[in-house]
Amino acid sequence: MEAPEPIMDVAHLGHVELLTPKPEASVRFFAEVMGMTISGRRGDSVFLRGWDDYERFSLQVTAAKTSGLGHAAFRTRSRQALDRRLAALRADGVEVTAQEDNMGHGTGWRFRDPDGHQVELYWDTEWYEAPAERRPALRNQAERYPARGVNVRRLDHYNCLGAELRGLRAFYERNLGLRCTERIEMDDGTEAGMWLTATNKSYDVAFAREASGVGGRLHHVTFALDSREAILQAADVFLDAGVAIENGPHKHAIQQTFFLYVYEPGGNRIELAHAGARLVLAPDWKTITWTQAERARGQAWGLQLTESFRTYATPPLPDGTR
């Protein structure tokens, strides 16, 4: 039996919104330490971008009482593709709400996945126009290299927690057409992790199992740099800035991502990754399933991640723990 025609209506991850109880310090971290450009302000939010993000912004930092993910937004491949995904969501019984008057893009259509994470789909967008002092010599580059801090190139992916991953994976496959490239299955058959892609990148969003049963929590947001060497240089930037490194630099076994993890001042975990990581070009890629024993061996070169990597997420749990 032939596999169903793949759904290719979602183009890529467009932006994420991070909530922070320390907005001034968080914005300063992303602008000065991460080297991102502020491209707008509205209400309680500041909008920033990496130097090669083609849209007006890729990160929205919003003042809030706590930390966590406000929403994650995916751009579709066309207006018709957006209509098809909205129809699929509604047919699946999902409530979809129009979000008007957005910074940098047209109407956003928001909904919550089965675990409570807020997701947005949109089509109309504002392409970034660099001011004269930021225009690059190369016309195929969005903005001049900032030469400031970490020098973030672009938004790469985000990672959330979910209480029941098998059903959550089916939701994203069914309604958004995302493909699962890799996953973890424990000895008892429980799905402990999954990596989903809308593109030829190996993943745009990932989920790990939420042991507490509380929904809607964020594990990390990831920004891409140009090379492994840039990740190593970023570690020195964080050292000079007094930013504690949680894990890395090292290489993940799953997806082979070269990584470095820190926390921004609002408490959200941030990852830096090599922009030239694996591409999945095979249209009939078969999902890689990792076993519990394989994952117990640690990362690609044997590093065991800190305990905080398995337990810490935002916002904190109702009892105040992470």
Side-chain angles (χ1 to χ4, degrees), residues 14-73:
H15 59 267
V16 296
E17 178 187 19
L18 283 179
L19 307 180
T20 171
K22 300 179 179 180
E24 291 184 6
S26 292
V27 170
R28 193 160 53 247
F29 169 84
F30 286 109
E32 297 177 8
V33 181
M34 296 284 278
M36 301 181 76
T37 301
I38 295 175
S39 57
R41 297 175 185 266
R42 179 179 293 179
D44 292 329
S45 294
V46 178
F47 301 82
L48 302 99
R49 58 187 308 286
W51 60 268
D52 206 25
D53 283 313
Y54 75 91
E55 294 180 270
R56 171 76 177 271
F57 72 96
S58 58
L59 174 65
Q60 178 180 352
V61 176
T62 300
K65 292 181 179 179
T66 189
S67 51
L69 181 72
H71 75 280

Short mmCIF file of all heavy atoms in Angstrom, two decimals, residues 14-73:
data_model
loop_
_atom_site.label_atom_id
_atom_site.label_comp_id
_atom_site.label_asym_id
_atom_site.label_seq_id
_atom_site.Cartn_x
_atom_site.Cartn_y
_atom_site.Cartn_z
N GLY A 14 8.43 30.43 11.92
CA GLY A 14 8.64 31.84 11.66
C GLY A 14 9.16 32.63 12.85
O GLY A 14 10.11 33.40 12.74
N HIS A 15 8.52 32.46 14.01
CA HIS A 15 8.96 33.17 15.20
C HIS A 15 8.44 32.48 16.46
O HIS A 15 7.52 31.67 16.39
CB HIS A 15 8.53 34.64 15.18
CG HIS A 15 7.04 34.86 15.08
ND1 HIS A 15 6.39 35.03 13.89
CD2 HIS A 15 6.08 34.94 16.04
CE1 HIS A 15 5.09 35.21 14.10
NE2 HIS A 15 4.88 35.16 15.40
N VAL A 16 9.04 32.82 17.57
CA VAL A 16 8.57 32.36 18.87
C VAL A 16 8.43 33.56 19.78
O VAL A 16 9.14 34.57 19.63
CB VAL A 16 9.52 31.32 19.51
CG1 VAL A 16 9.58 30.05 18.68
CG2 VAL A 16 10.91 31.89 19.71
N GLU A 17 7.51 33.45 20.73
CA GLU A 17 7.33 34.47 21.75
C GLU A 17 7.76 33.89 23.09
O GLU A 17 7.25 32.86 23.53
CB GLU A 17 5.87 34.90 21.84
CG GLU A 17 5.61 35.94 22.93
CD GLU A 17 4.13 36.24 23.13
OE1 GLU A 17 3.30 35.41 22.70
OE2 GLU A 17 3.82 37.30 23.72
N LEU A 18 8.72 34.56 23.74
CA LEU A 18 9.16 34.16 25.06
C LEU A 18 8.60 35.11 26.10
O LEU A 18 8.68 36.34 25.94
CB LEU A 18 10.69 34.17 25.14
CG LEU A 18 11.44 33.00 24.50
CD1 LEU A 18 12.94 33.20 24.66
CD2 LEU A 18 11.01 31.67 25.12
N LEU A 19 8.04 34.55 27.15
CA LEU A 19 7.55 35.34 28.28
C LEU A 19 8.66 35.47 29.31
O LEU A 19 9.41 34.52 29.55
CB LEU A 19 6.33 34.66 28.91
CG LEU A 19 5.18 34.30 27.96
CD1 LEU A 19 4.05 33.63 28.74
CD2 LEU A 19 4.68 35.53 27.21
N THR A 20 8.75 36.64 29.93
CA THR A 20 9.82 36.85 30.90
C THR A 20 9.37 37.79 32.02
O THR A 20 8.75 38.83 31.74
CB THR A 20 11.09 37.43 30.25
OG1 THR A 20 12.02 37.82 31.27
CG2 THR A 20 10.76 38.65 29.39
N PRO A 21 9.68 37.46 33.27
CA PRO A 21 9.39 38.38 34.37
C PRO A 21 10.46 39.46 34.52
O PRO A 21 10.32 40.35 35.36
CB PRO A 21 9.39 37.44 35.59
CG PRO A 21 10.33 36.35 35.23
CD PRO A 21 10.19 36.16 33.74
N LYS A 22 11.51 39.40 33.70
CA LYS A 22 12.59 40.40 33.72
C LYS A 22 12.80 40.92 32.31
O LYS A 22 13.84 40.67 31.68
CB LYS A 22 13.87 39.78 34.26
CG LYS A 22 13.75 39.25 35.69
CD LYS A 22 15.06 38.63 36.17
CE LYS A 22 14.95 38.12 37.59
NZ LYS A 22 16.21 37.50 38.06
N PRO A 23 11.83 41.67 31.78
CA PRO A 23 11.88 42.04 30.35
C PRO A 23 13.09 42.87 29.96
O PRO A 23 13.68 42.63 28.90
CB PRO A 23 10.57 42.81 30.14
CG PRO A 23 10.16 43.25 31.51
CD PRO A 23 10.61 42.18 32.44
N GLU A 24 13.48 43.83 30.77
CA GLU A 24 14.62 44.67 30.39
C GLU A 24 15.91 43.86 30.32
O GLU A 24 16.69 43.99 29.37
CB GLU A 24 14.77 45.83 31.38
CG GLU A 24 13.65 46.86 31.30
CD GLU A 24 13.88 48.03 32.23
OE1 GLU A 24 14.96 48.11 32.86
OE2 GLU A 24 12.97 48.89 32.33
N ALA A 25 16.11 42.99 31.30
CA ALA A 25 17.32 42.17 31.32
C ALA A 25 17.29 41.15 30.18
O ALA A 25 18.32 40.87 29.57
CB ALA A 25 17.44 41.47 32.67
N SER A 26 16.11 40.59 29.89
CA SER A 26 16.00 39.62 28.80
C SER A 26 16.31 40.26 27.46
O SER A 26 17.05 39.71 26.64
CB SER A 26 14.60 38.98 28.79
OG SER A 26 14.40 38.16 29.92
N VAL A 27 15.75 41.43 27.20
CA VAL A 27 16.00 42.13 25.94
C VAL A 27 17.47 42.48 25.83
O VAL A 27 18.08 42.34 24.76
CB VAL A 27 15.11 43.38 25.83
CG1 VAL A 27 15.55 44.24 24.64
CG2 VAL A 27 13.65 42.99 25.68
N ARG A 28 18.07 42.93 26.91
CA ARG A 28 19.49 43.27 26.89
C ARG A 28 20.33 42.04 26.56
O ARG A 28 21.31 42.11 25.81
CB ARG A 28 19.88 43.86 28.25
CG ARG A 28 21.24 44.53 28.28
CD ARG A 28 21.37 45.51 29.46
NE ARG A 28 21.04 44.87 30.72
CZ ARG A 28 19.97 45.20 31.46
NH1 ARG A 28 19.15 46.15 31.05
NH2 ARG A 28 19.74 44.59 32.60
N PHE A 29 19.96 40.89 27.12
CA PHE A 29 20.67 39.64 26.83
C PHE A 29 20.61 39.31 25.34
O PHE A 29 21.64 39.00 24.72
CB PHE A 29 20.05 38.50 27.65
CG PHE A 29 20.51 37.13 27.26
CD1 PHE A 29 21.70 36.61 27.77
CD2 PHE A 29 19.77 36.35 26.39
CE1 PHE A 29 22.13 35.33 27.40
CE2 PHE A 29 20.18 35.08 26.02
CZ PHE A 29 21.37 34.56 26.52
N PHE A 30 19.42 39.36 24.76
CA PHE A 30 19.29 38.99 23.34
C PHE A 30 19.94 40.01 22.42
O PHE A 30 20.50 39.64 21.38
CB PHE A 30 17.81 38.79 22.98
CG PHE A 30 17.23 37.52 23.53
CD1 PHE A 30 16.31 37.54 24.56
CD2 PHE A 30 17.64 36.29 23.03
CE1 PHE A 30 15.78 36.36 25.08
CE2 PHE A 30 17.13 35.10 23.54
CZ PHE A 30 16.19 35.14 24.57
N ALA A 31 19.89 41.28 22.78
CA ALA A 31 20.46 42.31 21.90
C ALA A 31 21.97 42.41 22.05
O ALA A 31 22.69 42.50 21.05
CB ALA A 31 19.81 43.67 22.21
N GLU A 32 22.49 42.38 23.28
CA GLU A 32 23.91 42.64 23.50
C GLU A 32 24.74 41.37 23.56
O GLU A 32 25.83 41.31 22.99
CB GLU A 32 24.07 43.44 24.80
CG GLU A 32 23.41 44.81 24.73
CD GLU A 32 23.51 45.57 26.04
OE1 GLU A 32 24.23 45.10 26.96
OE2 GLU A 32 22.87 46.63 26.16
N VAL A 33 24.25 40.33 24.24
CA VAL A 33 25.02 39.10 24.36
C VAL A 33 24.79 38.19 23.15
O VAL A 33 25.75 37.67 22.57
CB VAL A 33 24.67 38.35 25.67
CG1 VAL A 33 25.50 37.07 25.80
CG2 VAL A 33 24.90 39.25 26.88
N MET A 34 23.56 38.02 22.76
CA MET A 34 23.26 37.17 21.60
C MET A 34 23.51 37.89 20.28
O MET A 34 23.63 37.27 19.23
CB MET A 34 21.82 36.68 21.66
CG MET A 34 21.52 35.77 22.86
SD MET A 34 22.17 34.11 22.65
CE MET A 34 20.86 33.39 21.66
N GLY A 35 23.57 39.22 20.30
CA GLY A 35 23.88 39.99 19.09
C GLY A 35 22.72 40.12 18.13
O GLY A 35 22.91 40.33 16.93
N MET A 36 21.48 40.04 18.64
CA MET A 36 20.30 40.20 17.79
C MET A 36 19.96 41.68 17.64
O MET A 36 20.40 42.52 18.42
CB MET A 36 19.13 39.41 18.35
CG MET A 36 19.42 37.92 18.49
SD MET A 36 18.02 36.94 19.14
CE MET A 36 16.96 36.85 17.67
N THR A 37 19.17 42.00 16.60
CA THR A 37 18.78 43.38 16.32
C THR A 37 17.34 43.61 16.76
O THR A 37 16.45 42.82 16.44
CB THR A 37 18.88 43.67 14.80
OG1 THR A 37 20.23 43.45 14.38
CG2 THR A 37 18.47 45.10 14.49
N ILE A 38 17.11 44.70 17.49
CA ILE A 38 15.74 45.08 17.84
C ILE A 38 15.09 45.68 16.61
O ILE A 38 15.60 46.63 16.01
CB ILE A 38 15.73 46.09 19.01
CG1 ILE A 38 16.28 45.43 20.27
CG2 ILE A 38 14.33 46.63 19.25
CD1 ILE A 38 16.44 46.39 21.45
N SER A 39 13.94 45.11 16.22
CA SER A 39 13.28 45.58 15.00
C SER A 39 11.89 46.15 15.26
O SER A 39 11.17 46.47 14.32
CB SER A 39 13.17 44.43 13.98
OG SER A 39 12.48 43.32 14.54
N GLY A 40 11.51 46.30 16.53
CA GLY A 40 10.22 46.90 16.83
C GLY A 40 9.87 46.75 18.30
O GLY A 40 10.40 45.89 19.00
N ARG A 41 8.96 47.62 18.75
CA ARG A 41 8.42 47.56 20.10
C ARG A 41 6.93 47.83 20.02
O ARG A 41 6.49 48.71 19.27
CB ARG A 41 9.08 48.60 21.02
CG ARG A 41 10.59 48.41 21.23
CD ARG A 41 11.17 49.54 22.05
NE ARG A 41 12.63 49.45 22.18
CZ ARG A 41 13.26 48.87 23.19
NH1 ARG A 41 12.55 48.34 24.19
NH2 ARG A 41 14.58 48.81 23.23
N ARG A 42 6.16 47.09 20.80
CA ARG A 42 4.73 47.33 20.86
C ARG A 42 4.19 46.78 22.18
O ARG A 42 4.40 45.62 22.50
CB ARG A 42 3.99 46.68 19.69
CG ARG A 42 2.48 46.88 19.72
CD ARG A 42 1.79 46.25 18.54
NE ARG A 42 2.14 46.91 17.28
CZ ARG A 42 1.68 46.54 16.09
NH1 ARG A 42 0.87 45.49 15.99
NH2 ARG A 42 2.04 47.19 15.00
N GLY A 43 3.51 47.65 22.94
CA GLY A 43 2.95 47.22 24.20
C GLY A 43 4.02 46.67 25.13
O GLY A 43 5.04 47.31 25.37
N ASP A 44 3.79 45.48 25.63
CA ASP A 44 4.74 44.84 26.54
C ASP A 44 5.78 43.99 25.82
O ASP A 44 6.53 43.25 26.47
CB ASP A 44 3.98 43.94 27.54
CG ASP A 44 3.13 44.74 28.52
OD1 ASP A 44 3.52 45.89 28.84
OD2 ASP A 44 2.08 44.23 28.95
N SER A 45 5.84 44.08 24.49
CA SER A 45 6.72 43.21 23.70
C SER A 45 7.81 43.99 22.98
O SER A 45 7.59 45.11 22.51
CB SER A 45 5.90 42.42 22.66
OG SER A 45 5.01 41.52 23.29
N VAL A 46 8.97 43.34 22.88
CA VAL A 46 10.08 43.84 22.05
C VAL A 46 10.37 42.74 21.03
O VAL A 46 10.40 41.56 21.36
CB VAL A 46 11.33 44.13 22.89
CG1 VAL A 46 12.48 44.58 22.00
CG2 VAL A 46 11.04 45.19 23.94
N PHE A 47 10.57 43.14 19.77
CA PHE A 47 10.75 42.20 18.67
C PHE A 47 12.20 42.26 18.18
O PHE A 47 12.74 43.34 17.94
CB PHE A 47 9.78 42.54 17.54
CG PHE A 47 8.33 42.50 17.97
CD1 PHE A 47 7.76 43.58 18.61
CD2 PHE A 47 7.56 41.37 17.75
CE1 PHE A 47 6.42 43.54 19.03
CE2 PHE A 47 6.24 41.31 18.16
CZ PHE A 47 5.67 42.39 18.80
N LEU A 48 12.80 41.07 18.02
CA LEU A 48 14.21 41.00 17.62
C LEU A 48 14.39 39.99 16.49
O LEU A 48 13.51 39.17 16.22
CB LEU A 48 15.08 40.58 18.81
CG LEU A 48 15.03 41.45 20.06
CD1 LEU A 48 14.11 40.85 21.10
CD2 LEU A 48 16.43 41.67 20.64
N ARG A 49 15.57 40.03 15.88
CA ARG A 49 15.85 39.16 14.74
C ARG A 49 17.34 38.82 14.68
O ARG A 49 18.18 39.56 15.16
CB ARG A 49 15.43 39.84 13.43
CG ARG A 49 16.10 41.17 13.19
CD ARG A 49 15.52 41.88 11.98
NE ARG A 49 15.52 41.00 10.83
CZ ARG A 49 16.59 40.66 10.14
NH1 ARG A 49 17.77 41.15 10.47
NH2 ARG A 49 16.49 39.86 9.11
N GLY A 50 17.63 37.67 14.09
CA GLY A 50 19.00 37.33 13.76
C GLY A 50 19.38 38.01 12.45
O GLY A 50 18.51 38.40 11.66
N TRP A 51 20.68 38.11 12.17
CA TRP A 51 21.10 38.93 11.03
C TRP A 51 20.71 38.35 9.67
O TRP A 51 20.71 39.07 8.67
CB TRP A 51 22.59 39.21 11.08
CG TRP A 51 23.51 38.02 11.06
CD1 TRP A 51 24.00 37.35 12.14
CD2 TRP A 51 24.06 37.38 9.91
NE1 TRP A 51 24.82 36.32 11.74
CE2 TRP A 51 24.88 36.32 10.37
CE3 TRP A 51 23.95 37.58 8.53
CZ2 TRP A 51 25.57 35.47 9.51
CZ3 TRP A 51 24.65 36.75 7.69
CH2 TRP A 51 25.44 35.71 8.16
N ASP A 52 20.34 37.07 9.59
CA ASP A 52 19.92 36.53 8.30
C ASP A 52 18.49 36.00 8.32
O ASP A 52 18.08 35.27 7.43
CB ASP A 52 20.87 35.42 7.85
CG ASP A 52 20.90 35.26 6.33
OD1 ASP A 52 20.59 36.25 5.63
OD2 ASP A 52 21.23 34.17 5.84
N ASP A 53 17.69 36.37 9.34
CA ASP A 53 16.25 36.09 9.30
C ASP A 53 15.62 37.02 8.27
O ASP A 53 15.85 38.24 8.31
CB ASP A 53 15.62 36.36 10.67
CG ASP A 53 15.88 35.25 11.67
OD1 ASP A 53 15.71 34.08 11.30
OD2 ASP A 53 16.26 35.55 12.83
N TYR A 54 14.84 36.48 7.35
CA TYR A 54 14.33 37.33 6.27
C TYR A 54 13.09 38.13 6.67
O TYR A 54 12.76 39.13 6.04
CB TYR A 54 14.03 36.51 5.01
CG TYR A 54 12.77 35.67 5.05
CD1 TYR A 54 11.55 36.18 4.61
CD2 TYR A 54 12.80 34.36 5.51
CE1 TYR A 54 10.39 35.41 4.65
CE2 TYR A 54 11.66 33.59 5.55
CZ TYR A 54 10.45 34.11 5.11
OH TYR A 54 9.30 33.35 5.16
N GLU A 55 12.40 37.71 7.73
CA GLU A 55 11.19 38.43 8.15
C GLU A 55 11.53 39.53 9.15
O GLU A 55 12.64 39.63 9.65
CB GLU A 55 10.20 37.44 8.77
CG GLU A 55 9.65 36.44 7.74
CD GLU A 55 8.67 35.46 8.35
OE1 GLU A 55 9.10 34.39 8.83
OE2 GLU A 55 7.46 35.76 8.34
N ARG A 56 10.54 40.34 9.46
CA ARG A 56 10.73 41.50 10.34
C ARG A 56 11.31 41.07 11.70
O ARG A 56 12.14 41.77 12.28
CB ARG A 56 9.38 42.22 10.53
CG ARG A 56 9.37 43.32 11.58
CD ARG A 56 10.04 44.58 11.12
NE ARG A 56 9.95 45.65 12.10
CZ ARG A 56 8.95 46.53 12.18
NH1 ARG A 56 7.94 46.47 11.31
NH2 ARG A 56 8.96 47.46 13.09
N PHE A 57 10.87 39.93 12.21
CA PHE A 57 11.40 39.47 13.49
C PHE A 57 11.28 37.96 13.57
O PHE A 57 10.50 37.33 12.85
CB PHE A 57 10.66 40.13 14.67
CG PHE A 57 9.25 39.62 14.87
CD1 PHE A 57 8.98 38.62 15.80
CD2 PHE A 57 8.18 40.14 14.13
CE1 PHE A 57 7.69 38.14 15.99
CE2 PHE A 57 6.89 39.68 14.32
CZ PHE A 57 6.64 38.67 15.24
N SER A 58 12.05 37.37 14.46
CA SER A 58 11.96 35.93 14.72
C SER A 58 11.78 35.65 16.20
O SER A 58 11.50 34.51 16.58
CB SER A 58 13.22 35.20 14.21
OG SER A 58 14.38 35.73 14.83
N LEU A 59 11.93 36.68 17.04
CA LEU A 59 11.78 36.52 18.48
C LEU A 59 10.98 37.68 19.04
O LEU A 59 11.28 38.84 18.78
CB LEU A 59 13.15 36.47 19.17
CG LEU A 59 13.13 36.45 20.70
CD1 LEU A 59 12.48 35.19 21.24
CD2 LEU A 59 14.55 36.62 21.27
N GLN A 60 9.94 37.34 19.79
CA GLN A 60 9.13 38.33 20.52
C GLN A 60 9.35 38.10 22.01
O GLN A 60 9.09 37.01 22.52
CB GLN A 60 7.65 38.17 20.16
CG GLN A 60 6.72 39.12 20.90
CD GLN A 60 5.26 38.92 20.51
OE1 GLN A 60 4.95 38.17 19.58
NE2 GLN A 60 4.35 39.58 21.21
N VAL A 61 9.86 39.10 22.69
CA VAL A 61 10.10 39.01 24.13
C VAL A 61 9.00 39.83 24.82
O VAL A 61 8.90 41.04 24.60
CB VAL A 61 11.49 39.55 24.50
CG1 VAL A 61 11.68 39.54 26.01
CG2 VAL A 61 12.58 38.72 23.82
N THR A 62 8.19 39.18 25.65
CA THR A 62 7.02 39.81 26.24
C THR A 62 7.10 39.78 27.77
O THR A 62 7.33 38.72 28.36
CB THR A 62 5.73 39.11 25.79
OG1 THR A 62 5.64 39.20 24.36
CG2 THR A 62 4.50 39.76 26.40
N ALA A 63 6.90 40.94 28.37
CA ALA A 63 6.88 41.04 29.83
C ALA A 63 5.68 40.26 30.37
O ALA A 63 4.56 40.38 29.86
CB ALA A 63 6.80 42.50 30.25
N ALA A 64 5.92 39.45 31.39
CA ALA A 64 4.86 38.63 31.97
C ALA A 64 5.20 38.34 33.42
O ALA A 64 6.31 38.62 33.90
CB ALA A 64 4.70 37.33 31.18
N LYS A 65 4.25 37.75 34.13
CA LYS A 65 4.48 37.42 35.54
C LYS A 65 5.42 36.22 35.68
O LYS A 65 6.03 36.04 36.73
CB LYS A 65 3.16 37.12 36.23
CG LYS A 65 2.26 38.35 36.38
CD LYS A 65 0.96 37.99 37.10
CE LYS A 65 0.08 39.24 37.26
NZ LYS A 65 -1.19 38.91 37.95
N THR A 66 5.50 35.41 34.65
CA THR A 66 6.34 34.22 34.71
C THR A 66 7.03 34.00 33.37
O THR A 66 6.87 34.79 32.43
CB THR A 66 5.51 32.98 35.10
OG1 THR A 66 6.39 31.87 35.36
CG2 THR A 66 4.51 32.61 34.01
N SER A 67 7.82 32.95 33.28
CA SER A 67 8.56 32.62 32.06
C SER A 67 7.77 31.61 31.23
O SER A 67 6.68 31.18 31.59
CB SER A 67 9.92 32.05 32.45
OG SER A 67 9.75 31.00 33.40
N GLY A 68 8.34 31.22 30.09
CA GLY A 68 7.71 30.20 29.26
C GLY A 68 7.48 30.66 27.83
O GLY A 68 7.95 31.73 27.41
N LEU A 69 6.77 29.83 27.09
CA LEU A 69 6.46 30.11 25.68
C LEU A 69 5.11 30.78 25.57
O LEU A 69 4.10 30.23 26.02
CB LEU A 69 6.46 28.79 24.90
CG LEU A 69 6.17 28.89 23.40
CD1 LEU A 69 7.35 29.51 22.66
CD2 LEU A 69 5.87 27.50 22.82
N GLY A 70 5.09 31.99 24.99
CA GLY A 70 3.81 32.64 24.71
C GLY A 70 3.12 31.94 23.56
O GLY A 70 2.00 31.43 23.68
N HIS A 71 3.80 31.89 22.41
CA HIS A 71 3.31 31.12 21.27
C HIS A 71 4.47 30.87 20.31
O HIS A 71 5.50 31.53 20.38
CB HIS A 71 2.15 31.83 20.55
CG HIS A 71 2.58 33.00 19.70
ND1 HIS A 71 2.86 34.25 20.22
CD2 HIS A 71 2.78 33.12 18.36
CE1 HIS A 71 3.21 35.08 19.25
NE2 HIS A 71 3.18 34.42 18.10
N ALA A 72 4.28 29.89 19.44
CA ALA A 72 5.21 29.61 18.35
C ALA A 72 4.44 29.73 17.05
O ALA A 72 3.28 29.26 16.97
CB ALA A 72 5.81 28.22 18.49
N ALA A 73 5.04 30.37 16.04
CA ALA A 73 4.31 30.65 14.80
C ALA A 73 5.01 30.03 13.60
O ALA A 73 6.23 30.13 13.45
CB ALA A 73 4.19 32.16 14.60
#
